[in-house]
Amino acid sequence: MTGQSYKLVTCTINGKKCEKMVDVRSSLTDMLRNDYRLTSVKKGCEVGECGACNVLIDGEAFNSCIYLAVWAEGKDILTLEGLMGPNGEISDLQQAFIDETAVQCGFCTPGFVMSATEILNSGKLYTKAELRKLLSGHLCRCTGYENILVAVEKTMKKRLGVD
């Protein structure tokens, strides 16, 4: 029987350079939650189906539960905590989720916000149908998704100066 294998991972998490020895079998979810206490990264299905663990890696949304921590080497990782302003203020997107009552239990919310962040960072104007498809990788048991869609659409239009 062989012992565990570890590797040093150097990456940037929420703008801060980080180094950690990780088990080569560990998921990015486990590294972010256990080693860095970034609890916005939720452990939902752990098979890449629900989107609760979604983070941005080099600007692209990924389910961190099926992304090995060792693959984060040299990457720029953004979690919900990284959206916070310098004085602890929330983002316009997070405020829209509050304003539109797009949150119930809140478990899926961080993953939705991170996917929506990627979508909004594209600077494109999407139709409601396109937004619905782009957000379809998330499961929520509490809402009918409509308020989430409205919050993302509202923020997109506001950022793009569209009525």
Side-chain angles (χ1 to χ4, degrees):
M1 187 146 128
T2 61
Q4 291 182 324
S5 182
Y6 290 86
K7 183 176 178 190
L8 181 66
V9 174
T10 304
C11 60
T12 303
I13 302 173
N14 297 329
K16 186 177 174 184
K17 189 154 181 140
C18 300
E19 260 190 8
K20 195 69 166 176
M21 280 298 241
V22 297
D23 185 321
V24 296
R25 301 167 298 172
S26 292
S27 70
L28 182 57
T29 299
D30 287 337
M31 182 180 88
L32 294 171
R33 287 183 60 82
N34 300 340
D35 297 332
Y36 295 101
R37 303 289 180 235
L38 297 169
T39 55
S40 72
V41 183
K42 304 298 184 198
K43 285 186 94 167
C45 67
E46 296 190 69
V47 292
E49 294 290 327
C50 74
C53 65
N54 218 327
V55 299
L56 297 186
I57 302 172
D58 291 340
E60 187 178 347
F62 283 92
N63 289 320
S64 65
C65 69
I66 57 172
Y67 192 97
L68 291 176
V70 294
W71 296 343
E73 177 63 35
K75 304 287 185 187
D76 184 18
I77 300 163
L78 183 66
T79 70
L80 187 75
E81 290 88 350
L83 296 181
M84 199 177 337
N87 299 313
E89 62 274 11
I90 61 174
S91 71
D92 58 343
L93 176 60
Q94 291 168 295
Q95 187 61 54
F97 268 66
I98 294 167
D99 295 346
E100 299 302 324
T101 320
V103 180
Q104 285 190 29
C105 87
F107 190 82
C108 68
T109 306
F112 267 112
V113 170
M114 295 315 295
S115 285
T117 297
E118 177 194 21
I119 293 164
L120 297 177
N121 285 348
S122 75
K124 296 178 185 173
L125 180 64
Y126 294 101
T127 65
K128 202 167 226 172
E130 289 170 326
L131 286 175
R132 190 178 311 277
K133 185 173 182 176
L134 289 166
L135 292 168
S136 67
H138 293 271
L139 300 177
C140 175
R141 293 182 177 176
C142 298
T143 74
Y145 298 97
E146 194 61 29
N147 292 359
I148 294 168
L149 186 61
V150 169
V152 175
E153 182 181 40
K154 174 183 172 182
T155 307
M156 174 189 66
K157 287 182 174 180
K158 186 175 180 182
R159 285 186 185 182
L160 295 174
V162 176
D163 287 330

